[in-house]
Amino acid sequence: MSEVTFRELRNPPPMVINFAKAVLRATVKPGKSPTLPDVGLRLNDVALDEKHLAAYRKVCGFAADGKLPVTYPHMHAFPLHMALILTDGFPFPAMGLVHVRNSITQYRPISEKEQLNVKCYLGNLNKVDKGYEFSIFTSISTGGERVWESESVNFFRTGGGSGSKKKDAPTPEPAKNTVEWKVPGDTGRRYGAVSGDRNPIHLYPLSAKLFGFKRQIAHGMWSKARCLAELQNQLPETAYTVDVQFKLPMFIPATVKFENTEVKGGSDFRLLAKDGIKPHLAGQIRPVES
C-alpha cells in the first residue's frame, strides 16, 4: 500500500449523508483484484459534548468518573470510518460489510476535558475464505501525545471458499460464574441514536428481515462497550489493549450471560447466549509491553 494522503475535515461527516451515499453505492462490486484507496481523514480539536457522553454512558452502562469510557473515542471515529468506505474507488458496498474484530489500545486514561485529534485510514486488505477482510485504523492524540488507537476489521462476503465445516469441534462447556443481563429490544435504536449507526439490521424486526435477519440484532461495538462497562472498576490505569472477536449475532430482546476470567497478565471475557454456550463475543485484556 502506498503512503496515505490525509484530508483535513472541519466537522464530522453527517451520518444522514453517509447513509444516503451507502444506499447509492449498494451495487458496488469488488472485481477480481480489489484495492483500497490510499486516503485518510483527520478531524482535529474535538471537544466534549457532555449530553452525548451522558447518553453513551447510559446506553452502555458506564459510570461517570471524569474519564472517557475506553470505547467512547470510537464515537468520534465512526463517522470518519463511514466516510472512508464511501470514498470513490472503495471496492465494497457499505451495506455488505460485517464487523468481525476490534482492537483498542488506550495508552492512558483520557480526561473528559481533553480535546482530541482523530486520524483514520484504510489498510490490510486480504483475500480470505469466502470473501475479503480489511482494516480501518484510528489514532487519537491530544497535545501531540498519542493516547488511543484502534483497528476495526471488516469482512465482505463474496461467496465461494472451501465451505468446510468443523464437524469434529468439541461442544464448549457452559460458562460458570456469570452475570446475567437483559438486553431490551430497543437497544439498537438507543445505541444508534448515540453512535449515528442506524443500520436497519439494528433497529426493528421488519427492517432487519429485509436484510435476512429474523429480527433486529445488537451492535457489536455496543456489546464490547457493555462488557467493558461491567469491568470498568477493574480496567488498568496503565496502557492496555482490549481485543474482541464478534461471534454469533445477538437477536434482541435477549437474555445474555457475561463471564470474566482472570489470567496471567490480564483477563479473558465472553458474552454468551442465555444457554451459557453459544458465543456472541470473546475478548482479551492485556497490558501493553513497555
Side-chain angles (χ1 to χ4, degrees), residues 237-258:
E237 290 291 312
T238 53
Y240 68 96
T241 295
V242 54
D243 294 320
V244 298
Q245 303 82 47
F246 300 114
K247 305 290 187 178
L248 299 175
M250 182 198 302
F251 295 100
I252 51 178
T255 299
V256 296
K257 293 184 176 180
F258 174 76

Side-chain angles (χ1 to χ4, degrees), residues 1-69:
M1 184 173 178
S2 305
E3 184 176 351
V4 176
T5 300
F6 284 92
R7 180 163 60 91
E8 303 282 347
L9 302 177
R10 292 186 177 182
N11 298 292
M15 290 302 294
V16 172
I17 294 177
N18 277 342
F19 276 105
K21 289 181 178 179
V23 172
L24 293 175
R25 297 188 82 252
T27 58
V28 168
K29 304 292 184 183
K32 293 184 178 181
S33 300
T35 58
L36 298 176
D38 297 328
V39 296
L41 296 173
R42 283 197 183 102
L43 181 64
N44 293 329
D45 301 325
V46 178
L48 175 69
D49 181 329
E50 293 183 357
K51 290 183 179 180
H52 185 266
L53 176 58
Y56 181 83
R57 282 178 169 146
K58 185 175 182 179
V59 72
C60 296
F62 288 98
D65 60 1
K67 305 167 188 173
L68 296 184

Side-chain angles (χ1 to χ4, degrees), residues 5 9 26 68 80-81 92 95 104 128 146 222 228 242 257:
T5 300
L9 302 177
L68 296 184
L80 277 65
H81 288 196
F92 311 115
M95 292 296 187
I104 291 173
V128 296
R146 182 185 59 174
W222 175 85
L228 293 172
V242 54
K257 293 184 176 180

Side-chain angles (χ1 to χ4, degrees), residues 132-286:
Y132 291 91
E133 285 185 354
F134 70 93
S135 296
I136 307 177
F137 296 97
T138 301
S139 179
I140 293 182
S141 62
T142 179
E145 176 192 8
R146 182 185 59 174
V147 293
W148 190 98
E149 62 185 11
S150 74
E151 179 182 5
S152 293
V153 180
N154 294 273
F155 170 73
F156 178 76
R157 181 182 295 275
T158 59
S162 65
S164 61
K165 296 182 179 179
K166 297 180 180 180
K167 296 180 180 180
D168 299 327
T171 302
E173 291 292 327
K176 300 177 182 178
N177 301 320
T178 61
V179 178
E180 188 171 279
W181 304 335
K182 300 289 186 182
V183 184
D186 67 350
T187 300
R189 298 191 292 277
R190 293 169 58 222
Y191 184 79
V194 173
S195 67
D197 185 356
R198 291 185 172 89
N199 189 318
I201 65 174
H202 301 303
L203 303 181
Y204 296 97
L206 181 58
S207 61
K209 286 177 181 178
L210 294 174
F211 292 86
F213 294 93
K214 62 182 180 181
R215 63 179 187 272
Q216 69 269 36
I217 63 174
H219 294 74
M221 286 303 292
W222 175 85
S223 299
K224 180 172 184 174
R226 182 64 185 87
C227 290
L228 293 172
E230 188 73 24
L231 300 173
Q232 182 173 356
N233 295 328
Q234 304 172 42
L235 296 175
E237 290 291 312
T238 53
Y240 68 96
T241 295
V242 54
D243 294 320
V244 298
Q245 303 82 47
F246 300 114
K247 305 290 187 178
L248 299 175
M250 182 198 302
F251 295 100
I252 51 178
T255 299
V256 296
K257 293 184 176 180
F258 174 76
E259 177 191 54
N260 182 57
T261 304
E262 293 186 5
V263 298
K264 185 177 181 180
S267 64
D268 294 341
F269 59 92
R270 294 191 294 165
L271 189 59
L272 306 162
K274 187 178 181 179
D275 62 7
I277 298 175
K278 291 191 287 290
H280 295 307
L281 175 154
Q284 305 82 37
I285 300 172
R286 299 290 187 272

Side-chain angles (χ1 to χ4, degrees), residues 74-95:
H74 181 76
M75 295 296 96
H76 297 310
F78 182 69
L80 277 65
H81 288 196
M82 281 292 294
L84 283 174
I85 63 179
L86 296 169
T87 301
D88 289 342
F90 184 78
F92 311 115
M95 292 296 187

